[in-house]
Amino acid sequence: MRIRMTPRTASFATAFAGLADQVRLGALAVQDSLGPASHTRRTDLDRLQQIEREGQRARDQIVELARDSFVTPFDRGDIHLLAVRLTECLSHMEQAVDAGVRHRIDEFPEGTAALVDALVRMAELTARALPTLYSPDGAADYPGEIRRIASRAEPIRRDLATQNLAGSDPLGAMRTAAALDGLALTLRSFEQVATVVEGIVVKES
């Protein structure tokens, strides 16, 4: 990518790196909350909601930078869309954990941990890739890596949905589905982040 690093570019790089790190911290909070027999789910939700607020502030900072800058490191629309997609990841994480708390879900179906592990891996890759978005080919491999994880996670998601619906408690299944849907939407949001990054890489190459 042919993006020349300037003080203003560095400001965008720092802001996106900060937002991506909030997403990583959010994924770790999800992992803690939805782990086996978590007894601190309410505390984990409070922690995640604070992370989400920090993420929103980081998003607002990025949008303000894009609005106030005469020259941006790449397309303003891509800057805005990338910031939005990253904060959507946090919103869907909060949805999943909130469902676990709201519906008092004691145990999740076997295999949920594998889905959460995929989410954490995506978040870690995102936090590592975003700071390199301004270097030559720094994030070029990121979209493919995200899609590979998503492809491996999709059969797990389907199995979880089937397993959940096969239980003898329809109301419990509906409640658990709300949390699983939040996880699925988070994974989808990471794929959308990867698509935006891929577009930036192609445009700036």
Side-chain angles (χ1 to χ4, degrees), residues 5 12 14 21 37 48 51 54 77 90 103 105 115 132 142 146 153 155 158:
M5 185 60 73
F12 279 101
T14 300
D21 195 55
L48 181 53
I51 291 169
E54 293 294 334
L90 285 170
H103 299 307
I105 301 171
L115 201 64
T132 71
Y142 166 76
I146 291 293
R158 292 177 184 174

Side-chain angles (χ1 to χ4, degrees), residues 53-126:
R53 286 191 289 271
E54 293 294 334
Q56 289 291 345
R57 279 192 282 270
R59 173 195 176 277
D60 292 344
Q61 179 188 3
I62 291 167
V63 171
E64 184 176 349
L65 275 170
R67 186 177 61 241
D68 294 345
S69 298
F70 181 70
V71 177
T72 57
F74 44 86
D75 183 80
R76 293 175 196 273
D78 288 334
I79 289 171
H80 177 259
L81 186 58
L82 182 55
V84 168
R85 295 304 188 206
L86 286 165
T87 51
E88 284 176 349
C89 291
L90 285 170
S91 295
H92 293 315
M93 290 179 199
E94 193 273 343
Q95 174 186 334
V97 176
D98 180 70
V101 172
R102 189 180 301 276
H103 299 307
R104 300 177 183 176
I105 301 171
D106 293 326
E107 292 185 9
F108 285 87
E110 184 178 354
T112 304
L115 201 64
V116 174
D117 286 347
L119 186 154
V120 170
R121 179 63 178 149
M122 285 179 165
E124 290 173 343
L125 286 172
T126 301

Side-chain angles (χ1 to χ4, degrees), residues 3-78:
I3 298 177
R4 186 169 62 91
M5 185 60 73
T6 66
R8 178 61 70 175
T9 301
S11 297
F12 279 101
T14 300
F16 269 118
L19 178 51
D21 195 55
Q22 292 300 321
V23 172
R24 181 187 65 83
L25 293 173
L28 293 175
V30 173
Q31 189 175 51
D32 290 343
S33 172
L34 302 187
S38 173
H39 300 294
T40 60
R41 198 161 286 151
R42 177 71 249 184
T43 301
D44 293 327
L45 177 60
D46 292 342
R47 172 178 148 213
L48 181 53
Q49 289 173 337
Q50 178 59 36
I51 291 169
E52 185 181 15
R53 286 191 289 271
E54 293 294 334
Q56 289 291 345
R57 279 192 282 270
R59 173 195 176 277
D60 292 344
Q61 179 188 3
I62 291 167
V63 171
E64 184 176 349
L65 275 170
R67 186 177 61 241
D68 294 345
S69 298
F70 181 70
V71 177
T72 57
F74 44 86
D75 183 80
R76 293 175 196 273
D78 288 334

Side-chain angles (χ1 to χ4, degrees), residues 1-3 5 124-145 197-198 200-202 204-205:
M1 299 172 64
R2 302 186 184 92
I3 298 177
M5 185 60 73
E124 290 173 343
L125 286 172
T126 301
R128 195 156 61 234
L130 265 291
T132 71
L133 191 56
Y134 307 86
S135 61
D137 301 321
D141 294 335
Y142 166 76
E145 292 173 340
V197 170
E198 184 176 54
I200 293 170
V201 171
V202 170
E204 301 297 333
S205 60

